[in-house]
Amino acid sequence: MLWNDQIVERRDCINIEDRGYQFGDGIYEVIGVYDGKPLLLTEHMERLERSAREVQLTLPSSISNLKNRLEDLVSLNELEEGIIYMQVSRGAAPRWHEFPADDISPVTIAYTRPEERMTTIENQGATAILTEDIRWLRCDIKTLNLLPNVLAKQKAVEHQAIEAILHRGETVTEASASNVFIVKDGELYTHPANNFILNGITRKKVLQICKESALKLHEETYTVTDLLEADEVFITATKLDVIPILKVDEHTIGTGSPGKVTKKIVKAFRALYEQEV
Ligand code: PDD
């Protein structure tokens, strides 16, 4: 694993005064690895840099150095298919809420985990549930504070669903660990990239695919009713890629099988990463 700037044997010890541990005071990224190569690593590192800026955390090394270290880690671990998890916490210091003195260094860790591609679910589709979005108002920052996401995902799992789609009142925002798209009359809708959602790297790729395939996409809010009455629904996230959602709670979406537009996006996304890796 990567421990600050060193690649070391995996360690499971953490300083009990680490602010990531005590306050969730830190940021993270999850990067997909396909055929031994991290996908869209630059985009993930740029988002990490933005998250750091937004929580006033100074990254301990340059993005290009971090990228090299993560690539080294993938090749040393001989990872073919899976993910890289990396996080940077503000560091370890006696527990006071305010930032510690400047001489505290952020703690960076990264490790890899083998994970299969989701090809079967991508082809067959999955189900989701709806639950209220109870998160804070800066969901655009990829911070370690994930308790509302954890609770929502747990609820999904208890209902044998792949995801919990979140709504603030009537407005659908995103899902516990993915972005949500709906299709109505051949046109796509997804929540705008503002403080209510994480601007997914996969989401951004889907926007690009839509542009290139002349599919009309609206970055606009839509309601729970719009979601339930959509012709197609799909979710996007790192390593999940693009998953058709066929049922939300008790409501069947469209015909109850993966729709035409979703299939087109799934295919284009696969082609994209096959090209890039
Ligand atoms: N989560 N929205 C939320 C709340 C997320 O946690 C994620 C990803 C996404 C999709 O982002 P991307 O396409 O960049 O992966 C959207 C990661 C995978 C996780 O926390 O494990």
Side-chain angles (χ1 to χ4, degrees), residues 104-117:
I104 301 301
S105 311
V107 175
T108 307
I109 62 106
Y111 60 80
T112 61
R113 182 170 79 191
E115 267 182 31
E116 293 300 314
R117 290 187 192 178

Side-chain angles (χ1 to χ4, degrees), residues 161-204:
I162 195 169
E163 254 296 23
I165 296 179
L166 309 176
H167 58 96
R168 278 188 198 267
E170 266 306 293
T171 303
V172 175
T173 49
E174 57 177 335
S176 77
S178 55
N179 293 112
V180 183
F181 290 73
I182 65 170
V183 182
K184 189 75 190 171
D185 300 328
E187 299 187 2
L188 294 97
Y189 297 79
T190 197
H191 194 288
N194 58 20
N195 60 310
F196 292 114
I197 68 157
L198 182 78
N199 191 3
I201 305 297
T202 322
R203 174 189 183 277
K204 285 205 263 185

Side-chain angles (χ1 to χ4, degrees), residues 28-31 44 47 83 85 113 135 139 142 146 149 163 166 174-180 197-204 236-241:
Y28 79 106
E29 280 296 327
V30 180
I31 303 126
H44 282 280
R47 186 170 64 186
I83 55 129
Y85 174 78
R113 182 170 79 191
R135 298 173 302 161
C139 300
K142 205 160 172 63
L146 291 176
N149 309 61
E163 254 296 23
L166 309 176
E174 57 177 335
S176 77
S178 55
N179 293 112
V180 183
I197 68 157
L198 182 78
N199 191 3
I201 305 297
T202 322
R203 174 189 183 277
K204 285 205 263 185
T236 64
T238 295
K239 210 61 192 175
L240 273 184
D241 299 342

Side-chain angles (χ1 to χ4, degrees), residues 20-212:
Y21 177 58
Q22 292 184 335
F23 295 108
D25 185 0
I27 54 175
Y28 79 106
E29 280 296 327
V30 180
I31 303 126
V33 176
Y34 298 81
D35 293 325
K37 298 214 183 84
L39 181 70
L40 304 167
L41 186 54
T42 304
E43 287 82 347
H44 282 280
M45 290 302 100
E46 284 170 0
R47 186 170 64 186
L48 183 79
E49 211 169 20
R50 178 184 183 275
S51 296
R53 208 166 44 242
E54 294 299 316
V55 299
Q56 300 168 58
L57 196 159
T58 308
L59 289 178
S61 71
S62 69
I63 286 305
S64 64
N65 181 54
L66 276 175
K67 276 172 64 176
N68 290 338
R69 305 309 268 155
L70 296 180
E71 277 164 351
D72 290 347
L73 188 66
V74 168
S75 57
L76 275 170
N77 289 352
E78 298 176 3
L79 183 73
E80 280 298 306
E81 288 296 319
I83 55 129
I84 308 170
Y85 174 78
M86 84 162 294
Q87 70 166 57
V88 186
S89 84
R90 201 179 301 277
R95 187 183 179 278
W96 299 103
H97 284 64
E98 68 272 25
F99 296 169
D102 287 344
D103 58 350
I104 301 301
S105 311
V107 175
T108 307
I109 62 106
Y111 60 80
T112 61
R113 182 170 79 191
E115 267 182 31
E116 293 300 314
R117 290 187 192 178
M118 304 282 278
T119 319
T120 309
I121 298 181
E122 220 173 33
N123 292 337
Q124 292 176 355
T127 64
I129 58 156
L130 272 164
T131 194
E132 186 72 35
D133 191 343
I134 57 167
R135 298 173 302 161
W136 71 332
L137 300 176
R138 289 305 307 273
C139 300
D140 54 310
I141 312 172
K142 205 160 172 63
T143 81
L144 301 177
N145 293 277
L146 291 176
L147 193 51
N149 309 61
V150 167
L151 295 176
K153 183 68 113 183
Q154 178 60 23
K155 190 170 166 189
V157 169
E158 284 167 8
H159 288 82
Q160 289 81 45
I162 195 169
E163 254 296 23
I165 296 179
L166 309 176
H167 58 96
R168 278 188 198 267
E170 266 306 293
T171 303
V172 175
T173 49
E174 57 177 335
S176 77
S178 55
N179 293 112
V180 183
F181 290 73
I182 65 170
V183 182
K184 189 75 190 171
D185 300 328
E187 299 187 2
L188 294 97
Y189 297 79
T190 197
H191 194 288
N194 58 20
N195 60 310
F196 292 114
I197 68 157
L198 182 78
N199 191 3
I201 305 297
T202 322
R203 174 189 183 277
K204 285 205 263 185
K205 275 288 161 196
V206 170
L207 300 197
Q208 189 185 323
I209 289 168
C210 288
K211 223 179 231 167
E212 288 165 3

